[in-house]
Amino acid sequence: MLLDMAATDPAPVILILGDEELLADRAVSEVTSAVKAADPTAEVHDLPGSKMELGELTRMTSPSLFGDRSVVVVRSAQDLGKDVIAEVVSYAAHPADETVLVLVHPGGVKGKALVDGVKKAGAQVVSVTKVTKPAERLAFVKAELKRAGRTIGADAAAALLDAVGNDLRELAAACSQLAFDTPGKAIDEAAVARYHRGRAEVSGFTVADSAVEGRLGDALEQLRWALSTGTAPVLLVSALAGGLRSLAKVGGAPRNLRGGQLASHLGMPPWKIDRVQRQLNGWGPEGLARAIQAAATADAQVKGGGADPAYALEHMVQTVVASRTGR
């Protein structure tokens, strides 16, 4: 949860600050749900800042004859007019007892007077800034599945990120789908591949992972499936070439570097370095060189230098797997 409301009522004024829309929407939902749980008859007013006029907040927060609770949600609060901002800041210093005011602001300079004013007045601040770091996105995936009563390993979570991308809404939807459709408590890489290999990214990365890990049968099966569903051959070559380059980068890194220093030196997130280090088992310099050359040859063939892209791709995969034990 974004807000710890399991045992307490929401604060009278809450500022949801940041530009991650999914988290902002969830924070609003948690506030309204908490108020509704305490009083099912509570009224919710939800409006954009650009439509809010002077005096409207006072009207919506005026005490009811029946003492009913209410929630006033102001989205895009950066669009409030100057007079309305002054009204909101004044209200925040002395909020009504039966009303929860929720202000949603993306951050930035516009509407900064509102942010500074309600902070000074004692509003609760909930930060929902963009999730930009790979480790944060991995943590988000794990947390999403934990919310659904499931678990997911680091490799499977990384595969999901590779397949779906960085958008939190899409990641949340993917996690929900996996939790609903996958039997058992734990979700592994096979489950991720089963439900997301139809996308170009996961098809390429799934083939690449199987090949560099020496699983020839899996790699060829996934390759044929990807081609049959319309994945461009050039994307499949690119994914495998990228995997091989990662092996070369990590394998050639200075031995005295560890943790954050190694991640900084290579320009790779720590979770990916850990994965590549496991994949390096069985690889030597000569075999890696042969595999990289095979990927380069296949790249030329699928871009017009060969008559049969499917054959070129299968030959590339076979060569890569055969090169894995090469020293």
Side-chain angles (χ1 to χ4, degrees), residues 24-213:
D25 287 346
R26 284 189 175 177
V28 171
S29 295
E30 289 192 10
V31 174
T32 56
S33 295
V35 174
K36 284 283 192 179
D39 181 1
T41 66
E43 189 173 3
V44 178
H45 307 275
D46 194 323
L47 66 164
S50 60
K51 301 294 184 181
M52 192 166 177
E53 299 178 353
L54 185 63
E56 197 164 3
L57 177 63
T58 300
R59 178 183 61 78
M60 289 188 293
T61 59
S62 296
S64 165
L65 291 175
F66 303 100
D68 295 333
R69 299 200 68 187
S70 64
V71 182
V72 177
V73 180
V74 182
R75 301 180 188 268
S76 301
Q78 74 278 8
D79 294 331
L80 290 170
K82 290 183 178 180
D83 291 343
V84 180
I85 287 177
E87 180 185 10
V88 171
V89 171
S90 176
Y91 171 85
H94 304 284
D97 292 335
E98 298 301 323
T99 299
V100 175
L101 172 62
V102 183
L103 304 164
V104 185
H105 191 290
V109 176
K110 188 177 181 182
K112 190 172 184 297
L114 172 74
V115 173
D116 293 342
V118 297
K119 280 184 177 180
K120 187 175 181 181
Q124 179 186 358
V125 179
V126 178
S127 178
V128 290
T129 54
K130 282 286 186 184
V131 176
T132 58
K133 297 179 180 178
E136 293 175 341
R137 287 191 285 268
L138 279 175
F140 175 81
V141 168
K142 291 180 179 181
E144 282 295 290
L145 288 162
K146 185 177 180 180
R147 284 162 60 104
R150 312 300 293 277
T151 61
I152 187 170
D155 285 350
L160 187 62
L161 285 174
D162 285 340
V164 177
N166 299 332
D167 183 84
L168 287 201
R169 290 188 185 277
E170 292 193 14
L171 282 173
C175 289
S176 177
Q177 178 193 16
L178 283 169
F180 181 79
D181 291 335
T182 306
K185 183 176 178 63
I187 293 173
D188 57 16
E189 286 184 88
V192 174
R194 186 162 57 250
Y195 288 100
H196 295 284
R197 62 167 52 158
R199 302 179 62 135
E201 299 92 341
V202 73
S203 295
F205 288 120
T206 302
V207 173
D209 287 339
S210 295
V212 300
E213 291 167 10

Side-chain angles (χ1 to χ4, degrees), residues 208-242:
D209 287 339
S210 295
V212 300
E213 291 167 10
R215 295 182 280 115
L216 179 60
D218 287 345
L220 290 176
E221 178 185 357
Q222 291 154 0
L223 172 64
R224 291 161 187 159
W225 189 94
L227 290 173
S228 71
T229 56
T231 301
V234 67
L235 293 179
L236 295 165
V237 176
S238 176
L240 185 48

